[in-house]
C-alpha cells in the first residue's frame, strides 16, 4: 500500500507518494503558482524523466486533482488506481497546544486545526485547503494531520512561558511552540539506530540548519527546549529571518524607518538574517562563495551564524546535563562540511571533535566524530515526508 504526503503552502504544494514496504518514494513533485498566472506542475516519477505540466491551477483542489491524475497517468504515472493509496498525510504547521501528536482528521480535529489559524495565519489556511481538497477528491480515504509543533509539546512550562505578564499566555496562548518538529523527531530516531542505543537513554542536540534553522535539545526522545518560539522567526539567525533580537529594536526601527506592522513583519522575516547582513543572498552557497572571494559582510554573516549555532550547542548541553550526540541535518547541516567544521571547532571540552576525513560527506547518514570522543557528531539527512507517512500509516490502520 501507498501513502500520499502533501505539504500545502499558500501558492505551492509539494507531494510524495511513498511505498511503505520499501519506505521509498515512487514519485514526488511540486505545484507552483497556484491561483496565479503561469501555474505549473513538476512531476517526478522516481528513476524516470520529470514531466512538466503547465495550465490553469486556480486553487488547491485543482492542484491536487492534477497531482492525482499524474500519479495514475499511463505514461508517467506510478500506480494503476487511486484506490492503491491507503491514506494521505498532511503537513500542518501549527497545532497549538491542542496537538501533541499527529491526528486522524475528523470533524472535531478539523475544527481544532481551524482554531490554530490565529497562531499561524499564513500557514494553517493553505494546510487546511489541502486537507479539504483531498477529502473531496478521495472520499473515504483516511486523512492524517502531522504538526510541526507537536514534537515540542513535551517542553516543560519553564522552557515555554515567556517573560511577559502571565495573562498573555492565558488570554492569547503566547508561548514558545517550536517548529521543525517532524524533522527533529525523525533525526533523533535515526540517531538511536546509528548509535545502537535506545532513544530513552540518549541526550541529543539536533541542529536543523537550512533556509529556516532550529536547534532542539532532546532527552529520552522528548523535546526539552528548542530555538524557535511563538513563531518560526525566533532563535538562530536564518536565510532571511532575524532570529532573536532585543525586542526593543522592533519599535525603534518602526519609528526610525516609519514602518507599519506589515512592513516590520516583512522586514524581520524576509529582509533580515544572513541576506540582510551580507547583502549578497539568502542562500548559504552564494554567501560562502562571496566570503571566499573576500566579501567581508558575507564572512560576517557566516561568522554570526556559526557563533549562534555554537551558543545553542553550549546552552543545550547545559539543559540536557551533558550530550551524547550532536546531529546535523537539513540543506546546510547535511551538505556543508566547512560549516560543520567551524561550528565544532574548540568544543573538545564537551567531548565534541570531528574527523576532517569523515566530515567530507554530503547527504549521507554518517558518524563524523573522531574516534574515542565522549560525544558523537552525526550527519543525518532529514526525511520529513517519511516521518509524516509513518505517522499516517499508523493512525490510518488504527
Ligand atoms: P528549507 O528550509 O527551505 O527546507 P533546506 O533545508 O533545503 O531549506 O536548506 C537550504 C539551504 O541549504 C540553502 O541556504 C542552501 O544554500 C544550503 N545548502 C545546500 N547545499 C549546500 C552546500 N553544499 N553548501 C552550503 N550550503 C548548502
Amino acid at each position: 500500500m501507498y501513502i500520499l504526503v502533501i505539504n500545502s503552502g499558500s501558492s505551492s504544494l509539494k507531494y510524495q507518494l511513498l511505498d511503505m514496504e520499501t519506505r521509498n518514494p515512487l514519485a514526488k513533485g511540486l505545484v507552483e503558482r497556484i491561483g496565479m498566472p503561469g501555474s505549473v506542475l513538476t512531476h517526478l516519477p522516481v528513476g524516470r524523466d520529470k514531466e512538466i505540466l503547465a495550465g490553469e491551477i486556480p486553487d488547491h483542489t485543482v492542484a491536487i486533482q492534477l497531482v492525482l491524475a499524474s500519479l495514475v497517468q499511463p505514461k508517467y504515472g506510478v500506480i494503476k488506481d487511486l484506490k492503491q493509496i491507503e491514506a494521505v498525510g498532511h503537513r500542518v504547521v501549527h497545532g497549538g497546544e491542542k496537538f501533541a501528536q499527529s491526528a486522524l482528521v475528523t470533524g472535531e480535529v478539523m475544527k481544532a486545526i481551524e482554531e490554530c489559524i490565529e497562531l499561524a495565519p499564513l500557514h494553517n489556511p493553505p494546510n487546511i485547503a489541502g486537507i479539504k481538497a483531498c477529502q473531496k477528491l478521495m472520499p473515504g480515504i483516511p486523512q492524517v494531520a502531522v504538526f510541526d509543533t507537536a514534537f515540542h509539546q513535551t517542553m516543560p512550562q519553564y522552557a515555554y512561558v515567556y517573560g511577559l505578564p502571565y495573562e498573555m499566555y492565558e488570554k492569547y496562548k503566547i508561548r514558545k511552540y517550536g517548529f521543525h518538529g517532524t524533522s527533529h523527531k525523525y533525526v533523533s530516531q535515526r540517531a538511536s539506530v546509528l548509535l545502537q542505543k535506545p532513544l530513552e537513554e540518549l541526550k541529543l542536540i539536533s541542529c536543523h540548519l537550512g533556509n529556516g534553522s532550529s536547534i532542539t535539545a532532546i532527552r529520552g526522545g522528548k523535546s526539552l527546549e528548542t530555538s524557535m518560539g511563538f513563531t518560526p522567526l525566533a532563535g538562530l539567525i536564518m536565510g532571511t529571518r532575524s532570529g532573536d533580537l532585543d525586542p526593543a529594536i522592533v519599535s525603534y526601527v518602526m519609528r526610525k524607518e516609519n514602518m507599519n506592522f506589515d512592513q516590520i513583519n516583512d522586514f524581520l522575516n524576509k529582509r533580515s538574517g544572513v541576506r540582510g547582513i551580507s547583502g549578497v543572498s539568502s542562500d548559504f552557497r552564494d554567501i560562502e562563495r562571496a566570503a571566499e572571494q573576500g566579501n567581508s559582510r558575507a564572512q560576517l554573516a557566516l561568522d554570526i551564524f556559526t557563533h549562534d549555532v555554537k551558543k545553542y550547542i553550549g546552552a543545550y548541553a547545559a539543559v540536557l546535563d551533558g550530550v551524547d550526540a550532536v546531529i546535523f541535518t537539513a540543506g546546510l547541516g547535511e551538505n556543508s562540511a566547512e560549516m560543520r567544521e567551524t561550528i565544532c571547532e574548540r568544543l573538545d571540552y564537551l567531548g565534541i571533535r570531528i574527523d576532517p576525513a569523515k566530515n567530507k560527506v554530503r547527504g549521507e547518514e554518517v558518524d563524523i566524530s573522531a574516534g574515542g570522543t565522549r560525544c558523537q557528531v552525526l550527519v543525518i539527512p532529514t526525511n520529513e515526508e517519511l516521518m509524516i507517512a509513518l505517522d499516517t500509516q499508523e493512525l490510518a490502520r488504527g
Side-chain angles (χ1 to χ4, degrees), residues 88-281:
V88 186
H90 297 266
R91 175 188 182 216
V92 177
V93 168
H94 221 306
E97 287 188 326
K98 294 174 197 292
F99 296 99
Q101 260 125 28
S102 303
L104 190 64
V105 178
T106 59
E108 214 174 302
V109 164
M110 200 61 165
K111 203 167 144 259
I113 299 174
E114 280 167 351
E115 282 165 9
C116 296
I117 288 180
E118 233 185 356
L119 296 169
L122 299 178
H123 294 103
N124 273 28
N127 301 157
I128 291 167
I131 299 176
K132 286 190 170 159
C134 286
Q135 284 177 324
K136 192 167 143 196
L137 297 166
M138 309 167 83
I141 295 192
Q143 312 286 325
V144 170
V146 179
F147 304 91
D148 275 22
T149 48
F151 182 60
H152 301 296
Q153 280 296 302
T154 48
M155 281 188 290
Q157 199 178 25
Y158 57 75
Y160 70 71
V161 170
Y162 287 118
L164 296 170
Y166 193 72
E167 302 84 80
M168 295 296 104
Y169 168 54
E170 291 178 313
K171 265 176 32 194
Y172 307 123
K173 291 281 170 243
I174 297 176
R175 51 159 283 177
K176 177 181 278 201
Y177 289 100
F179 298 85
H180 289 144
T182 311
S183 173
H184 291 298
K185 184 175 166 188
Y186 175 79
V187 298
S188 62
Q189 290 182 354
R190 289 304 307 161
S192 153
V193 174
L194 278 176
L195 298 170
Q196 300 183 330
K197 263 199 175 170
L199 204 45
E200 292 68 31
E201 291 173 16
L202 288 171
K203 297 172 183 175
L204 304 168
I205 298 177
S206 161
C207 306
H208 178 111
L209 311 178
N211 239 325
S213 297
S214 71
I215 302 192
T216 299
I218 303 165
R219 186 163 62 205
K222 294 193 168 78
S223 167
L224 282 192
E225 241 300 4
T226 192
S227 61
M228 282 181 170
F230 178 59
T231 73
L233 180 57
L236 297 160
I237 180 178
M238 302 178 221
T240 59
R241 291 174 236 167
S242 65
D244 285 347
L245 296 172
D246 177 341
I249 294 169
V250 176
S251 55
Y252 191 80
V253 171
M254 285 175 82
R255 211 167 44 238
K256 286 282 183 196
E257 295 273 317
N258 203 13
M259 284 186 194
N260 63 28
F261 292 115
D262 287 340
Q263 288 166 327
I264 191 81
N265 252 327
D266 191 73
F267 176 78
L268 295 171
N269 277 289
K270 301 192 180 143
R271 288 159 51 202
S272 299
V274 291
R275 176 185 162 195
I277 291 164
S278 69
V280 170
S281 164

Side-chain angles (χ1 to χ4, degrees), residues 180 208-212 282-285 288 330-332 335-336 362:
H180 289 144
H208 178 111
L209 311 178
N211 239 325
S282 64
D283 192 303
F284 278 91
R285 279 165 294 199
E288 282 180 355
L332 198 53
N335 295 302
S336 180
R362 235 176 214 214

Side-chain angles (χ1 to χ4, degrees), residues 305-316:
F305 182 78
T306 48
H307 175 69
D308 255 7
V309 176
K310 210 188 248 286
K311 275 199 298 191
Y312 272 101
I313 292 176
Y316 287 180

